[in-house]
Amino acid sequence: MLDEKEGGNAVVWGIPVITADNGRRIWPDELKAMAVKKIEAGTKIVTVAKEIGANESLVAK
């Protein structure tokens, strides 16, 4: 679940996600691996995307 922190940064599934100066999020490899595991386990891409606050097409990549 996406939790906004001060300064535009967020915490997703307990992992900090930094927001760069240009507004883009820098997704840690650990979080990417967790998302892949959830999808491989049968969770729909759209569900994972909503949980982490990312675009569905980004998660599908």
Side-chain angles (χ1 to χ4, degrees):
M1 191 63 69
L2 178 68
D3 294 323
E4 292 293 329
K5 290 177 80 178
E6 196 172 309
N9 294 331
V11 176
V12 178
W13 297 332
I15 301 169
V17 178
I18 297 169
T19 303
D21 291 337
N22 62 4
R24 291 185 175 204
R25 292 190 184 117
I26 301 169
W27 300 97
D29 290 339
E30 182 182 4
L31 187 115
K32 292 176 188 179
M34 289 174 70
V36 168
K37 285 180 185 177
K38 282 184 168 251
I39 292 166
E40 287 176 341
T43 305
K44 293 186 179 200
I45 290 172
V46 66
T47 303
V48 172
K50 286 180 182 179
E51 283 184 20
I52 67 173
N55 189 295
E56 184 179 341
S57 64
L58 178 67
V59 176
K61 285 184 180 181

